[in-house]
Amino acid sequence: MILDLPAAPVGGDATIQSEWRHAVRRALLGWRAGLDAQTHQKLSDQIRAHFATFLKDRPAATIGFYWPIQNEIDLRPVVAAHVKSGGNAALPVVPGKDQAMIFHDWTPDTEMVPGFARIPEPANSKEVAVNVLLAPLVGFDPAGYRLGYGGGFFDRTLATLTRKPLVVGIGFEATRLDDILPHQYDVPVDVLITEHGTRYIDGQATADADKPDQTSPPCHLSD
């Protein structure tokens, strides 16, 4: 699936690069919104299967996931199964614009209320630390840099955490770019999961004895 996207700018002008990212973001969101239901279901099922396999090596991990919006991949069935089998999950609570997210415990029975931008958030649940943080991808590049919605919530949140979780980008392979021209403060994900499989970004995912549920030996998907 080849998307017709604006050509990347030549040179390092920050304003031009920012305008290009905005244009690409609009194009990718438009493509995703226009996916027919059958194709979206097929690709999402494949991604959910890869994600479920990924979680088998992390049965006790606390997964920080996202409530699906704007035709994102809905991972709630996999996360609910993870919780049912003894794992843990959390959803972000956003205090406000330009503020870091806080993660609160979630189960399929958790009461949900409209939060920032009317996105559902857990109510009456406790704040928890996450081992694995899922980041929805509007777009991404092979180095693990993600194109998000432009609000900076994930990078801002990662900057506030005393212990960095394993960050997993979730998205459609068609939204892969050669280079998203990241800002200097952008943080790459450690793992990419698309319908093509699971990729560990070289040098990002390493074993850590203190966090046994976060990482596993890298496996690479050939391009």
Side-chain angles (χ1 to χ4, degrees):
M1 214 178 297
I2 305 297
L3 304 185
D4 184 17
L5 298 174
V10 177
D13 185 278
T15 300
I16 294 176
Q17 290 183 356
S18 180
E19 292 174 350
W20 174 79
R21 279 189 292 269
H22 285 307
V24 170
R25 180 182 293 111
R26 286 194 298 270
L28 292 177
L29 287 174
W31 171 82
R32 195 171 74 191
L35 270 180
D36 65 274
Q38 184 176 5
T39 300
H40 191 282
Q41 180 72 36
K42 177 183 176 181
L43 297 178
S44 295
D45 284 345
Q46 293 172 349
I47 292 166
R48 282 189 284 263
H50 291 306
F51 179 51
T53 299
F54 171 84
L55 288 184
K56 286 181 180 179
D57 291 330
R58 301 162 177 82
T62 298
I63 310 298
F65 71 112
Y66 57 86
W67 196 270
I69 61 172
Q70 298 189 44
N71 225 23
E72 288 175 339
I73 300 139
D74 187 354
L75 298 174
R76 287 175 295 179
V78 182
V79 175
H82 176 72
V83 171
K84 185 176 181 180
S85 65
N88 299 286
L91 277 171
V93 171
V94 181
K97 185 179 179 181
D98 298 330
Q99 295 189 46
M101 299 181 294
I102 302 168
F103 284 85
H104 281 234
D105 183 60
W106 178 89
T107 75
D109 298 323
T110 297
E111 178 188 356
M112 303 295 291
V113 297
F116 183 79
R118 307 298 295 174
I119 299 172
E121 297 179 346
N124 303 315
S125 67
K126 64 181 180 180
E127 182 178 348
V128 295
V130 300
N131 307 123
V132 177
L133 176 60
L134 306 187
L137 304 173
V138 174
F140 68 97
D141 66 22
Y145 287 101
R146 60 183 289 273
L147 189 66
Y149 293 100
F153 286 107
F154 276 87
D155 292 323
R156 192 176 299 113
T157 299
L158 288 172
T160 65
L161 299 178
T162 55
R163 297 186 66 181
K164 181 178 176 290
L166 187 70
V167 184
V168 181
I170 306 281
F172 297 110
E173 189 68 27
T175 64
R176 174 179 174 174
L177 308 169
D178 290 335
D179 187 348
I180 74 160
L181 307 181
H183 295 290
Q184 63 178 7
Y185 51 80
D186 286 347
V187 180
V189 302
D190 304 305
V191 184
L192 291 165
I193 298 179
T194 73
E195 69 272 17
H196 283 194
T198 301
R199 301 181 182 90
Y200 283 81
I201 304 303
D202 289 345
Q204 294 295 327
T206 56
D208 185 331
D210 293 331
K211 295 178 281 185
D213 289 315
Q214 291 193 30
T215 57
S216 65
C219 61
H220 298 273
L221 187 71
S222 58
D223 298 328

